Amino acid sequence: MFILRSAFWLTVAFIAMAPKSVDLGAAAGDFSSQAMAAGQQLIVSQMLAGDCASVRCVGGKALAAVALTSSPSLGAPMQDSSADPVPFPRPRPDWMG
């Protein structure tokens, strides 16, 4: 009984105090894309900060920097990045009800 009463009052409190003008999904997506961009920028700056003497090292850094900065799926959710659509099961036969 205690758990039911607690769940009821927590639900009522959330409904009463929940922010009305904020879209939580969009806010979470914005924070996620900002965090990904900041992390990517940090990684690229750390990679380019090291000293290289050979041409091979400089070329590798340039390729890595281009690959990290031009990510096509930076802001897209993981579900949208798949090339193959998800297979759906076949419909149920009529004789099964």
Side-chain angles (χ1 to χ4, degrees):
M1 188 65 183
F2 173 75
I3 294 174
L4 268 162
R5 224 176 329 160
S6 297
F8 171 76
W9 287 115
L10 285 172
T11 304
V12 169
F14 179 76
I15 291 171
M17 292 187 280
K20 307 289 190 254
S21 63
V22 177
D23 183 13
L24 297 177
D30 291 342
F31 288 138
S32 174
S33 62
Q34 288 175 356
M36 286 292 290
Q40 215 171 27
Q41 186 178 6
L42 178 70
I43 290 171
V44 170
S45 66
Q46 291 296 321
M47 288 179 74
L48 296 178
D51 294 331
C52 280
S54 68
V55 173
R56 185 175 184 164
C57 180
V58 173
K61 282 186 177 185
L63 287 175
V66 167
L68 285 174
T69 56
S70 65
S71 176
S73 64
L74 181 63
M78 183 179 252
Q79 292 84 2
D80 293 342
S81 64
S82 66
D84 300 338
V86 176
F88 291 104
R90 292 173 37 182
R92 215 173 162 160
D94 291 334
W95 57 269
M96 289 184 77

